[in-house]
Protein backbone atom coordinates (compact mmCIF):
# COMPACT_ATOMS: atom_id res chain seq x y z
CA UNK A 1 0.00 0.00 0.00
CA UNK A 2 2.85 2.38 0.93
CA UNK A 3 4.63 1.71 -2.36
CA UNK A 4 1.44 2.36 -4.32
CA UNK A 5 0.78 5.60 -2.44
CA UNK A 6 4.36 6.78 -3.08
CA UNK A 7 4.04 5.83 -6.74
CA UNK A 8 0.77 7.78 -7.05
CA UNK A 9 2.34 10.84 -5.44
CA UNK A 10 5.37 10.60 -7.73
CA UNK A 11 3.17 10.29 -10.83
CA UNK A 12 1.10 13.25 -9.67
CA UNK A 13 4.12 15.47 -9.12
CA UNK A 14 5.60 14.52 -12.49
CA UNK A 15 2.43 15.21 -14.48
CA UNK A 16 1.67 18.48 -12.70
CA UNK A 17 5.26 19.68 -13.08
CA UNK A 18 5.35 18.87 -16.79
CA UNK A 19 1.95 20.54 -17.21
CA UNK A 20 3.31 23.64 -15.50
CA UNK A 21 6.16 23.89 -17.97
CA UNK A 22 3.67 23.58 -20.85
CA UNK A 23 1.53 26.27 -19.21
CA UNK A 24 4.49 28.66 -19.06
CA UNK A 25 5.05 28.23 -22.79
CA UNK A 26 1.35 28.67 -23.59
CA UNK A 27 1.15 31.93 -21.60
CA UNK A 28 4.01 33.35 -23.64
CA UNK A 29 2.41 32.18 -26.90
CA UNK A 30 -0.92 33.81 -25.92
CA UNK A 31 0.79 37.14 -25.32
CA UNK A 32 2.65 36.92 -28.62
CA UNK A 33 -0.49 36.02 -30.60
CA UNK A 34 -2.54 38.78 -28.93
CA UNK A 35 0.04 41.31 -30.11
CA UNK A 36 0.62 39.95 -33.60
CA UNK A 37 -1.22 40.13 -36.94
CA UNK A 38 -3.20 37.13 -35.65
CA UNK A 39 -4.72 39.17 -32.81
CA UNK A 40 -8.00 39.93 -34.58
CA UNK A 41 -8.53 36.25 -35.41
CA UNK A 42 -7.59 35.26 -31.84
CA UNK A 43 -10.09 37.56 -30.12
CA UNK A 44 -12.81 37.01 -32.76
CA UNK A 45 -12.60 33.22 -32.39
CA UNK A 46 -12.89 33.41 -28.59
CA UNK A 47 -16.14 35.37 -28.92
CA UNK A 48 -17.77 33.17 -31.56
CA UNK A 49 -21.01 31.60 -30.30
CA UNK A 50 -21.46 27.84 -30.56
CA UNK A 51 -24.49 26.11 -29.08
CA UNK A 52 -25.58 29.15 -27.08
CA UNK A 53 -22.20 29.89 -25.51
CA UNK A 54 -19.12 31.67 -26.80
CA UNK A 55 -15.94 29.67 -27.35
CA UNK A 56 -14.46 31.45 -24.33
CA UNK A 57 -17.44 30.44 -22.18
CA UNK A 58 -17.19 26.81 -23.33
CA UNK A 59 -13.58 26.85 -22.16
CA UNK A 60 -14.16 28.73 -18.90
CA UNK A 61 -17.51 27.19 -17.91
CA UNK A 62 -17.45 23.69 -19.39
CA UNK A 63 -13.84 22.52 -19.79
CA UNK A 64 -12.82 24.18 -16.53
CA UNK A 65 -15.59 22.21 -14.80
CA UNK A 66 -13.44 19.17 -15.59
CA UNK A 67 -10.46 20.95 -14.03
CA UNK A 68 -12.55 21.60 -10.90
CA UNK A 69 -13.68 17.96 -10.94
CA UNK A 70 -10.02 16.95 -10.74
CA UNK A 71 -9.41 19.51 -7.98
CA UNK A 72 -12.31 18.03 -6.03
CA UNK A 73 -11.01 14.48 -6.49
CA UNK A 74 -7.55 15.52 -5.28
CA UNK A 75 -8.97 17.31 -2.25
CA UNK A 76 -11.13 14.32 -1.28
CA UNK A 77 -8.31 11.78 -1.68
CA UNK A 78 -5.74 13.88 0.16
CA UNK A 79 -8.12 14.54 3.06
CA UNK A 80 -9.24 10.92 3.40
CA UNK A 81 -6.09 8.90 2.65
CA UNK A 82 -3.29 11.24 1.53
CA UNK A 83 -1.06 14.03 2.80
CA UNK A 84 -3.97 15.77 4.57
CA UNK A 85 -5.41 12.67 6.25
CA UNK A 86 -4.53 13.68 9.82
CA UNK A 87 -4.69 16.96 11.72
CA UNK A 88 -0.93 16.94 12.20
CA UNK A 89 -0.45 16.65 8.43
CA UNK A 90 -2.98 19.41 7.76
CA UNK A 91 -1.58 21.84 10.34
CA UNK A 92 1.37 23.39 8.48
CA UNK A 93 -0.10 23.62 4.95
CA UNK A 94 -3.49 24.63 6.39
CA UNK A 95 -2.15 27.46 8.53
CA UNK A 96 0.25 28.58 5.78
CA UNK A 97 -2.58 28.55 3.21
CA UNK A 98 -4.75 30.67 5.52
CA UNK A 99 -2.02 33.30 5.72
CA UNK A 100 -1.56 33.03 1.97
CA UNK A 101 -5.22 33.88 1.38
CA UNK A 102 -5.75 36.64 3.95
CA UNK A 103 -2.59 38.72 3.46
CA UNK A 104 -2.72 38.93 -0.39
CA UNK A 105 -6.40 39.92 -0.18
CA UNK A 106 -5.43 42.62 2.31
CA UNK A 107 -2.68 43.91 0.03
CA UNK A 108 -5.11 44.12 -2.90
CA UNK A 109 -7.72 45.94 -0.80
CA UNK A 110 -5.11 48.39 0.44
CA UNK A 111 -4.65 49.66 -3.11
CA UNK A 112 -8.33 49.52 -4.08
CA UNK A 113 -10.28 50.75 -1.04
CA UNK A 114 -11.01 54.09 -2.67
CA UNK A 115 -12.07 52.43 -5.95
CA UNK A 116 -15.46 50.72 -5.41
CA UNK A 117 -15.56 49.42 -8.99
CA UNK A 118 -12.50 47.23 -8.41
CA UNK A 119 -13.10 45.98 -4.85
CA UNK A 120 -14.64 42.72 -6.16
CA UNK A 121 -11.19 41.62 -7.25
CA UNK A 122 -9.92 41.11 -3.68
CA UNK A 123 -9.65 37.32 -4.07
CA UNK A 124 -7.63 37.38 -7.31
CA UNK A 125 -4.18 37.04 -5.66
CA UNK A 126 -5.39 34.46 -3.10
CA UNK A 127 -4.61 31.14 -4.84
CA UNK A 128 -1.39 29.38 -5.89
CA UNK A 129 -1.16 27.78 -9.33
CA UNK A 130 0.01 24.27 -8.47
CA UNK A 131 0.97 23.35 -12.05
CA UNK A 132 3.13 26.44 -12.53
CA UNK A 133 4.76 26.16 -9.09
CA UNK A 134 5.56 22.46 -9.48
CA UNK A 135 6.88 23.22 -12.95
CA UNK A 136 9.42 25.59 -11.39
CA UNK A 137 10.34 22.98 -8.76
CA UNK A 138 10.87 20.46 -11.56
CA UNK A 139 13.54 22.76 -13.01
CA UNK A 140 15.35 22.61 -9.65
CA UNK A 141 15.39 18.82 -9.50
CA UNK A 142 17.04 17.31 -6.40
CA UNK A 143 17.92 20.75 -4.98
CA UNK A 144 14.47 20.76 -3.39
CA UNK A 145 13.65 18.02 -0.85
CA UNK A 146 10.62 15.84 -1.59
CA UNK A 147 9.02 16.92 1.70
CA UNK A 148 8.95 20.51 0.46
CA UNK A 149 7.28 19.47 -2.80
CA UNK A 150 4.64 17.56 -0.84
CA UNK A 151 4.14 20.61 1.41
CA UNK A 152 3.63 22.82 -1.64
CA UNK A 153 1.15 20.33 -3.12
CA UNK A 154 -0.85 20.16 0.11
CA UNK A 155 -0.81 23.95 0.50
CA UNK A 156 -1.94 24.49 -3.09
CA UNK A 157 -4.77 21.96 -2.69
CA UNK A 158 -6.01 23.79 0.42
CA UNK A 159 -5.63 27.05 -1.55
CA UNK A 160 -7.84 25.58 -4.26
CA UNK A 161 -10.44 24.56 -1.67
CA UNK A 162 -10.43 28.11 -0.30
CA UNK A 163 -10.83 29.46 -3.85
CA UNK A 164 -13.81 27.14 -4.46
CA UNK A 165 -15.49 28.40 -1.27
CA UNK A 166 -14.77 32.03 -2.20
CA UNK A 167 -16.23 31.55 -5.68
CA UNK A 168 -19.36 29.94 -4.25
CA UNK A 169 -19.91 32.63 -1.60
CA UNK A 170 -18.79 35.83 -3.30
CA UNK A 171 -18.98 35.33 -7.08
CA UNK A 172 -22.49 33.98 -7.50
CA UNK A 173 -25.00 35.88 -9.65
CA UNK A 174 -28.74 36.05 -8.92
CA UNK A 175 -29.97 32.57 -8.04
CA UNK A 176 -32.57 30.62 -9.99
CA UNK A 177 -33.89 28.49 -7.13
CA UNK A 178 -35.62 26.00 -9.44
CA UNK A 179 -32.43 25.23 -11.34
CA UNK A 180 -30.41 25.18 -8.12
CA UNK A 181 -32.90 22.70 -6.65
CA UNK A 182 -32.52 20.47 -9.70
CA UNK A 183 -28.72 20.54 -9.32
CA UNK A 184 -29.00 19.65 -5.64
CA UNK A 185 -31.37 16.81 -6.53
CA UNK A 186 -28.70 15.47 -8.88
CA UNK A 187 -26.16 15.54 -6.04
CA UNK A 188 -28.62 13.63 -3.84
CA UNK A 189 -28.82 10.95 -6.54
CA UNK A 190 -25.01 10.73 -6.53
CA UNK A 191 -25.06 10.43 -2.73
CA UNK A 192 -27.49 7.49 -2.98
CA UNK A 193 -25.35 5.80 -5.66
CA UNK A 194 -22.30 6.26 -3.43
CA UNK A 195 -24.08 4.70 -0.44
CA UNK A 196 -25.21 1.80 -2.63
CA UNK A 197 -21.53 1.27 -3.53
CA UNK A 198 -22.11 1.76 -7.27
CA UNK A 199 -18.67 1.72 -8.87
CA UNK A 200 -19.43 2.53 -12.52
CA UNK A 201 -17.73 5.88 -13.17
CA UNK A 202 -19.79 6.60 -16.30
CA UNK A 203 -23.01 6.82 -14.25
CA UNK A 204 -21.51 9.49 -11.99
CA UNK A 205 -20.18 11.44 -14.98
CA UNK A 206 -23.47 11.23 -16.88
CA UNK A 207 -25.43 12.56 -13.91
CA UNK A 208 -22.61 15.05 -13.34
CA UNK A 209 -23.13 16.48 -16.83
CA UNK A 210 -26.81 17.04 -15.99
CA UNK A 211 -25.82 18.69 -12.70
CA UNK A 212 -23.41 20.95 -14.62
CA UNK A 213 -26.24 22.10 -16.91
CA UNK A 214 -28.58 22.95 -14.02
CA UNK A 215 -25.72 24.67 -12.16
CA UNK A 216 -24.96 26.75 -15.25
CA UNK A 217 -28.59 27.90 -15.36
CA UNK A 218 -28.85 28.44 -11.58
CA UNK A 219 -26.57 31.49 -11.29
CA UNK A 220 -23.85 29.64 -9.38
CA UNK A 221 -20.72 29.31 -11.49
CA UNK A 222 -20.97 26.07 -13.46
CA UNK A 223 -17.45 24.91 -12.62
CA UNK A 224 -18.50 24.34 -9.00
CA UNK A 225 -20.55 21.40 -10.26
CA UNK A 226 -17.24 19.64 -10.88
CA UNK A 227 -16.27 19.89 -7.21
CA UNK A 228 -19.73 18.78 -6.09
CA UNK A 229 -19.65 15.69 -8.29
CA UNK A 230 -16.13 14.80 -7.12
CA UNK A 231 -17.24 14.60 -3.50
CA UNK A 232 -19.52 11.65 -4.29
CA UNK A 233 -17.15 9.59 -6.43
CA UNK A 234 -16.35 6.48 -4.31
CA UNK A 235 -12.83 6.23 -2.94
CA UNK A 236 -12.54 2.98 -0.97
CA UNK A 237 -13.64 -0.23 -2.65
CA UNK A 238 -11.16 -2.62 -1.03
CA UNK A 239 -11.58 -1.80 2.64
CA UNK A 240 -10.51 -5.26 3.70
CA UNK A 241 -6.89 -4.71 2.66
CA UNK A 242 -6.89 -0.92 2.68
CA UNK A 243 -6.07 -0.76 -1.03
CA UNK A 244 -7.80 2.17 -2.73
CA UNK A 245 -5.51 2.22 -5.79
CA UNK A 246 -8.21 0.81 -8.05
CA UNK A 247 -11.15 2.70 -6.58
CA UNK A 248 -13.36 4.73 -8.95
CA UNK A 249 -11.98 8.01 -7.57
CA UNK A 250 -8.33 7.09 -8.07
CA UNK A 251 -8.97 5.65 -11.54
CA UNK A 252 -10.84 8.79 -12.60
CA UNK A 253 -8.17 11.02 -11.09
CA UNK A 254 -5.46 9.23 -13.04
CA UNK A 255 -7.52 9.34 -16.23
CA UNK A 256 -8.03 13.10 -15.93
CA UNK A 257 -4.50 14.18 -15.00
CA UNK A 258 -2.98 14.29 -18.45
CA UNK A 259 -5.99 15.75 -20.32
CA UNK A 260 -6.29 18.47 -17.68
CA UNK A 261 -2.56 19.17 -17.39
CA UNK A 262 -1.75 19.08 -21.09
CA UNK A 263 -4.98 20.21 -22.76
CA UNK A 264 -7.61 21.88 -20.57
CA UNK A 265 -5.42 24.12 -18.40
CA UNK A 266 -3.10 25.15 -21.28
CA UNK A 267 -6.16 25.89 -23.45
CA UNK A 268 -7.59 27.99 -20.61
CA UNK A 269 -4.26 29.78 -20.29
CA UNK A 270 -4.09 30.44 -24.04
CA UNK A 271 -7.65 31.79 -24.08
CA UNK A 272 -7.29 33.98 -21.00
CA UNK A 273 -3.66 35.18 -20.88
CA UNK A 274 -3.74 37.06 -24.17
CA UNK A 275 -3.85 40.82 -23.66
CA UNK A 276 -3.22 43.44 -26.35
CA UNK A 277 -0.40 45.73 -25.21
CA UNK A 278 -0.57 48.17 -28.13
CA UNK A 279 -1.85 51.11 -26.08
CA UNK A 280 -0.28 49.99 -22.82
CA UNK A 281 1.93 52.44 -20.93
CA UNK A 282 4.28 51.49 -18.10
CA UNK A 283 2.63 53.96 -15.74
CA UNK A 284 -0.54 51.87 -16.05
CA UNK A 285 1.18 49.32 -13.79
CA UNK A 286 0.55 51.78 -10.96
CA UNK A 287 -3.22 51.61 -11.47
CA UNK A 288 -4.99 50.07 -8.45
CA UNK A 289 -5.97 46.74 -10.03
CA UNK A 290 -2.68 45.63 -11.66
CA UNK A 291 -0.67 46.98 -8.72
CA UNK A 292 -2.91 45.31 -6.15
CA UNK A 293 -2.86 41.99 -8.00
CA UNK A 294 0.89 42.00 -8.70
CA UNK A 295 1.91 43.00 -5.17
CA UNK A 296 -0.76 40.76 -3.65
CA UNK A 297 0.86 37.81 -5.40
CA UNK A 298 4.52 38.77 -5.10
CA UNK A 299 4.52 40.40 -1.65
CA UNK A 300 1.28 39.29 0.00
CA UNK A 301 1.71 35.60 -0.75
CA UNK A 302 5.27 35.27 0.51
CA UNK A 303 4.60 37.32 3.64
CA UNK A 304 1.34 35.52 4.44
CA UNK A 305 2.60 31.98 3.82
CA UNK A 306 6.00 32.39 5.47
CA UNK A 307 4.73 34.33 8.50
CA UNK A 308 1.89 31.87 9.11
CA UNK A 309 4.17 28.85 8.64
CA UNK A 310 6.79 30.35 10.95
CA UNK A 311 4.18 31.02 13.62
CA UNK A 312 2.87 27.45 13.34
CA UNK A 313 6.35 25.90 13.60
CA UNK A 314 7.65 28.18 16.38
CA UNK A 315 4.50 27.64 18.45
CA UNK A 316 4.71 23.87 18.14
CA UNK A 317 1.45 23.53 16.21
CA UNK A 318 3.32 22.07 13.23
CA UNK A 319 6.73 20.70 12.26
CA UNK A 320 9.19 21.91 9.67
CA UNK A 321 9.13 19.70 6.52
CA UNK A 322 11.87 17.07 6.72
CA UNK A 323 15.37 18.10 5.50
CA UNK A 324 14.16 21.67 4.87
CA UNK A 325 15.90 24.87 5.98
CA UNK A 326 14.24 28.18 6.84
CA UNK A 327 15.80 29.64 3.70
CA UNK A 328 14.20 26.92 1.57
CA UNK A 329 10.85 27.43 3.31
CA UNK A 330 11.03 31.14 2.50
CA UNK A 331 11.93 30.40 -1.12
CA UNK A 332 8.88 28.16 -1.37
CA UNK A 333 6.71 30.88 0.19
CA UNK A 334 7.86 33.25 -2.57
CA UNK A 335 7.02 30.60 -5.16
CA UNK A 336 3.40 30.42 -3.93
CA UNK A 337 2.91 33.86 -5.47
CA UNK A 338 2.51 32.15 -8.84
CA UNK A 339 -1.26 32.49 -9.19
CA UNK A 340 -1.86 32.10 -12.90
CA UNK A 341 -4.82 29.76 -13.53
CA UNK A 342 -7.06 30.42 -10.52
CA UNK A 343 -6.19 34.13 -10.41
CA UNK A 344 -7.19 34.63 -14.04
CA UNK A 345 -10.32 32.57 -13.43
CA UNK A 346 -11.42 34.65 -10.42
CA UNK A 347 -10.51 37.84 -12.27
CA UNK A 348 -12.85 36.85 -15.08
CA UNK A 349 -15.66 36.31 -12.57
CA UNK A 350 -14.99 39.53 -10.66
CA UNK A 351 -14.95 41.77 -13.73
CA UNK A 352 -17.12 39.81 -16.16
CA UNK A 353 -18.64 43.01 -17.60
CA UNK A 354 -15.49 45.17 -17.47
CA UNK A 355 -13.04 44.22 -20.27
CA UNK A 356 -10.59 46.97 -19.32
CA UNK A 357 -10.32 45.71 -15.75
CA UNK A 358 -9.96 42.14 -17.06
CA UNK A 359 -6.93 43.22 -19.06
CA UNK A 360 -5.51 44.97 -16.01
CA UNK A 361 -5.99 41.76 -14.02
CA UNK A 362 -4.10 39.78 -16.66
CA UNK A 363 -1.20 42.23 -16.57
CA UNK A 364 -1.08 42.11 -12.77
CA UNK A 365 -1.28 38.30 -12.69
CA UNK A 366 1.43 37.88 -15.32
CA UNK A 367 3.73 40.38 -13.56
CA UNK A 368 3.16 39.05 -10.03
CA UNK A 369 3.43 35.41 -11.10
CA UNK A 370 6.58 36.03 -13.13
CA UNK A 371 8.30 37.89 -10.27
CA UNK A 372 7.30 35.14 -7.83
CA UNK A 373 8.44 32.36 -10.14
CA UNK A 374 11.82 33.90 -10.95
CA UNK A 375 12.56 35.02 -7.37
CA UNK A 376 11.39 31.71 -5.89
CA UNK A 377 13.52 29.76 -8.36
CA UNK A 378 16.65 31.82 -7.62
CA UNK A 379 16.16 31.58 -3.85
CA UNK A 380 15.64 27.81 -3.92
CA UNK A 381 18.58 27.37 -6.27
CA UNK A 382 20.79 29.38 -3.90
CA UNK A 383 19.60 27.23 -0.99
CA UNK A 384 21.14 24.07 -2.48
CA UNK A 385 22.60 21.84 0.19
CA UNK A 386 21.09 23.76 3.10
CA UNK A 387 20.05 21.77 6.14
CA UNK A 388 17.12 22.38 8.46
Amino acid sequence: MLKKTMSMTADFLKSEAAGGIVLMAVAVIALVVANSPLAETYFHTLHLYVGGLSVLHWINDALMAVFFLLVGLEIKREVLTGELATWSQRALPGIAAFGGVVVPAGVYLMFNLSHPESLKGWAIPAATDIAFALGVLALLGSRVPTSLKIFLTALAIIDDLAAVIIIALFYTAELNLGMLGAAVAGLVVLFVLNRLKVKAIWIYLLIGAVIWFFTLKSGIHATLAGVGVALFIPLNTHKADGDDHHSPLVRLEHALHKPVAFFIVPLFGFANAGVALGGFKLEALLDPVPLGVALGLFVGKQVGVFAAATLAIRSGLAKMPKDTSWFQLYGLAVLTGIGFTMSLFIGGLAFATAPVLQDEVKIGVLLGSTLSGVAGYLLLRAARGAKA
Side-chain angles (χ1 to χ4, degrees):
M1 176 61 185
L2 178 60
K3 287 184 178 179
K4 288 182 177 180
T5 300
M6 291 176 65
S7 176
M8 286 169 56
T9 302
D11 289 342
F12 170 74
L13 291 174
K14 287 177 183 177
S15 66
E16 289 288 342
I21 294 171
V22 171
L23 191 55
M24 295 178 200
V26 167
V28 173
I29 293 171
L31 275 175
V32 171
V33 170
N35 293 277
S36 74
L38 295 173
E40 185 176 349
T41 301
Y42 170 77
F43 290 111
H44 176 70
T45 301
L46 289 176
H47 292 92
L48 281 177
Y49 272 75
V50 180
L53 294 175
S54 68
V55 171
L56 184 62
H57 277 108
W58 277 114
I59 294 171
N60 290 354
D61 291 0
L63 286 182
M64 285 300 283
V66 180
F67 166 79
F68 275 85
L69 172 62
L70 179 59
V71 167
L73 295 172
E74 291 168 350
I75 291 171
K76 179 175 179 177
R77 179 177 56 78
E78 292 291 349
V79 168
L80 294 181
T81 65
E83 296 301 327
L84 300 174
T86 66
W87 285 110
S88 60
Q89 289 174 302
R90 297 169 194 160
L92 185 60
I95 294 170
F98 178 78
V101 170
V102 173
V103 177
V107 171
Y108 180 90
L109 289 173
M110 183 172 65
F111 290 100
N112 287 271
L113 277 178
S114 58
H115 302 274
E117 73 282 359
S118 59
L119 284 177
K120 284 189 69 176
W122 63 271
I124 294 170
T128 297
D129 190 300
I130 187 171
F132 245 130
L134 286 174
V136 174
L137 288 186
L139 299 176
L140 291 161
S142 60
R143 291 184 178 90
V144 178
T146 301
S147 61
L148 207 58
K149 296 176 183 178
I150 292 174
F151 168 64
L152 174 62
T153 302
L155 185 152
I157 286 172
I158 295 172
D159 254 4
D160 283 344
L161 176 60
V164 168
I165 294 171
I166 288 170
I167 292 168
L169 294 179
F170 299 100
Y171 296 101
T172 295
E174 293 183 7
L175 287 176
N176 182 319
L177 295 179
M179 292 295 179
L180 180 59
V184 171
L187 292 175
V188 171
V189 172
L190 293 186
F191 171 77
V192 172
L193 291 174
N194 182 291
R195 300 305 293 176
L196 292 174
K197 303 187 185 304
V198 175
K199 302 174 187 177
I201 295 175
W202 69 267
I203 296 178
Y204 292 90
L205 296 182
L206 180 62
I207 297 172
V210 176
I211 292 171
W212 173 85
F213 173 79
F214 286 126
T215 305
L216 177 69
K217 298 297 183 181
S218 73
I220 296 176
H221 201 272
T223 52
L224 295 180
V227 179
V229 171
L231 297 180
F232 298 101
I233 304 293
L235 175 59
N236 292 315
T237 59
H238 298 79
K239 291 185 178 179
D241 59 7
D243 183 6
D244 63 6
H245 188 68
H246 297 293
S247 72
L249 185 146
V250 175
R251 286 189 287 115
L252 181 58
E253 185 182 349
H254 281 190
L256 290 178
H257 266 310
K258 283 184 170 53
V260 168
F262 297 110
F263 175 67
I264 292 176
V265 171
L267 183 60
F268 170 84
F270 181 73
N272 288 273
V275 54
L277 300 174
F280 178 75
K281 297 180 181 178
L282 284 178
E283 53 263 33
L285 290 175
L286 299 179
D287 288 348
V289 170
L291 188 62
V293 170
L295 292 183
L297 288 170
F298 182 56
V299 177
K301 266 293 185 181
Q302 62 174 282
V303 171
V305 169
F306 188 68
T310 300
L311 181 63
I313 294 168
R314 293 295 192 194
S315 66
L317 291 174
K319 295 180 180 180
M320 176 78 81
K322 186 179 179 181
D323 299 325
T324 299
S325 69
W326 285 104
F327 193 81
Q328 287 174 316
L329 186 64
Y330 174 65
L332 191 78
V334 174
L335 206 61
T336 64
I338 302 175
F340 188 80
T341 304
M342 199 66 81
S343 294
L344 289 177
F345 188 81
I346 293 176
L349 296 180
F351 305 124
T353 59
V356 174
L357 291 181
Q358 285 187 29
D359 284 347
E360 290 189 348
V361 167
K362 293 176 184 179
I363 292 169
V365 169
L366 291 170
L367 178 58
S369 297
T370 300
L371 289 173
S372 298
V374 172
Y377 172 84
L378 293 176
L379 286 168
L380 288 169
R381 185 178 177 84
R384 182 181 183 183
K387 297 294 182 183

